[in-house]
Amino acid sequence: MPEATEGAVVAGAATETTPSPTTTAGGAGGSGGSVGKPRSLWSDAWGDLRRNPLFVASAVLILLLLTMSCFPSLFTSASPRNGDLTGAFLKEPEYGKVFSPEWLGYDGQGRSIWARLVYGARASVIVGVVVTGTVTLFGGLVGMLAGYFGGWADSLLSRLTDVFAGIPFLLGAMVVLTSFEVRTVWVVSAALAVLGWTQIARVMRGSVISIKQQDYVMAAKALGAGTGRILLRHILPNAVAPVIIVATTALGGYIAAEATLSYLGIGLADPAISWGIDVSAGKDQLRNAPHVLLYPALMVSITVLAFIMLGDAVRNALDPKLR
C-alpha cells in the first residue's frame, strides 16, 4: 500500500513542477469536453522545439555534421592525407564539377581541403560528445550529492569544485596535454573533461537544493523511500533540465577549445586530421592563400554556432519563465 501511495506522489510531482494547460476532447470552446491528461515538461518542451525555426536549423546542421563524421566517404572520395605538391595552394575550383574534391582548392601539401574538412569533423564531434557526456555525468553526480545531503558533504564537494573552477580552463588543459607525447582525441577529451565539470556541478547543486524542499520529496521521505529512490525517481527528473541546457551550450565550446589547442600545437597533431591543425597550417599563408585558413575556421564557427543555437532553443523550451 505504501508503494501505491508513493507512486501517486511521483505522479503529483511531475504535474506540480510542470503545470500546463489541459486539453479537452471537445476541441475549441472547451465546454462539454472531458479533461485530458496534463502534459509533462518534456512533452511541452518538445512541442515548442518543433515549432522553433532556431531549433530546426541547428538540428539540421548538427545532423549533417554527425553524418559527415560517421560516413565521410558519402561526401568525398578524395584522400585527406595523400597530396600532390604540384597542386599546392591551388584555389580555383574545377568548373562543371561543383562537388568534386577540387572545389575548395588544395593546401600547402597538395591535399584536398574539402576532404580534410569532411574527415576533420570526426575529431571535433568525438571530443565534443565525449567531454560533454563525461562532465555531465561526473559534474551532475557531484552537484546532486552536494545539494541533497548538505552539511559537511556539501562543504567538501563545493570546495573541491571551487579548486578546479579556479584553474584557467585552456591554461590548465595546456599544462595537462604537454605531459603527453602522443595526444589522441581521447587524451584531449580527458584533459578538457578534468577541468570542465565544475559549471555542471554548480548548476545541479542549486537545482537540487530547490527541488528537495518540494512537498512531493518530503512526502516520499515520510513514506519511507530510500535515498537512492528519492534521488533517481523524484529529484533527478525534475532537476536535470537546467543541466541539459548548460551541457548543450557547452558542447560547442568544447569543440572550439579542441580547435584552439590544436592550433597552438598542444592538442591534436599530424597524422590526426583536425580543423585546428589546418587553421594552424594555413596561418603562414594568409596573404597568398587565405582559403587554406578560412575554410576550416569557417567550419569551426558554423559548428559552434549550431550548438549554441541548439542550446538557446532548448533553454527557451525548458524554462517556463521564457515562454
Side-chain angles (χ1 to χ4, degrees):
M1 190 65 183
E3 288 291 333
T5 308
E6 185 183 342
V9 173
V10 176
T15 57
E16 179 182 349
T17 56
T18 59
S20 61
T22 57
T23 57
T24 60
S31 59
S34 59
V35 178
K37 183 179 178 181
R39 296 193 301 173
S40 66
L41 171 66
W42 304 105
S43 60
D44 282 342
W46 175 241
D48 291 341
L49 287 174
R50 287 184 301 176
R51 296 187 297 269
N52 190 341
L54 191 68
F55 170 77
V56 175
S58 61
V60 170
L61 287 175
I62 293 173
L63 181 61
L64 181 62
L65 179 69
L66 292 176
T67 305
M68 186 182 296
S69 62
C70 295
F71 308 102
S73 58
L74 295 178
F75 296 85
T76 179
S77 59
S79 172
R81 292 188 173 91
N82 299 332
D84 184 1
L85 291 178
T86 59
F89 297 121
L90 180 66
K91 56 184 177 182
E92 292 80 9
E94 183 177 345
Y95 297 104
K97 297 182 179 180
V98 181
F99 292 101
S100 69
E102 298 83 4
W103 75 304
L104 292 184
Y106 295 89
D107 63 5
Q109 300 183 36
R111 299 173 299 191
S112 169
I113 292 180
W114 170 242
R116 292 190 64 82
L117 292 181
V118 171
Y119 281 86
R122 179 174 298 178
S124 298
V125 169
I126 291 176
V127 171
V129 172
V130 170
V131 175
T132 302
T134 303
V135 301
T136 301
L137 291 176
F138 183 75
L141 178 62
V142 170
M144 186 166 60
L145 295 178
Y148 181 77
F149 290 106
W152 66 267
D154 185 19
S155 299
L156 178 62
L157 294 176
S158 295
R159 298 297 78 75
L160 177 65
T161 303
D162 292 340
V163 170
F164 279 88
I167 302 174
F169 182 66
L170 284 178
L171 179 60
M174 291 168 60
V175 173
V176 173
L177 290 173
T178 51
S179 61
F180 292 89
E181 294 183 359
V182 179
R183 294 182 290 273
T184 63
V185 291
W186 309 111
V187 174
V188 174
S189 299
L192 296 177
V194 166
L195 301 171
W197 58 272
T198 56
Q199 185 181 13
I200 296 289
R202 288 174 170 174
V203 171
M204 176 62 88
R205 175 182 176 274
S207 183
V208 170
I209 290 176
S210 175
I211 294 296
K212 74 176 184 179
Q213 307 297 331
Q214 299 296 324
D215 292 339
Y216 56 86
V217 178
M218 299 298 182
K221 291 181 180 179
L223 291 171
T227 301
R229 184 179 181 86
I230 293 175
L231 288 174
L232 296 178
R233 295 288 301 275
H234 299 271
I235 291 182
L236 182 60
N238 294 282
V240 74
V243 174
I244 293 177
I245 297 172
V246 174
T248 305
T249 306
L251 198 154
Y254 296 133
I255 292 177
E258 179 273 323
T260 302
L261 292 171
S262 299
Y263 172 81
L264 296 174
I266 303 174
L268 300 177
D270 284 327
I273 305 172
S274 168
W275 295 333
I277 295 176
D278 291 345
V279 171
S280 179
K283 69 180 185 298
D284 297 329
Q285 299 294 329
L286 183 59
R287 288 178 175 271
N288 301 326
H291 66 288
V292 178
L293 181 147
L294 293 179
Y295 288 134
L298 183 62
M299 285 295 295
V300 174
S301 300
I302 292 175
T303 303
V304 174
L305 178 62
F307 281 104
I308 291 177
M309 290 167 53
L310 180 66
D312 288 341
V314 172
R315 180 195 61 191
N316 295 337
L318 292 179
D319 192 346
K321 298 179 182 178
L322 299 178
R323 295 183 181 179

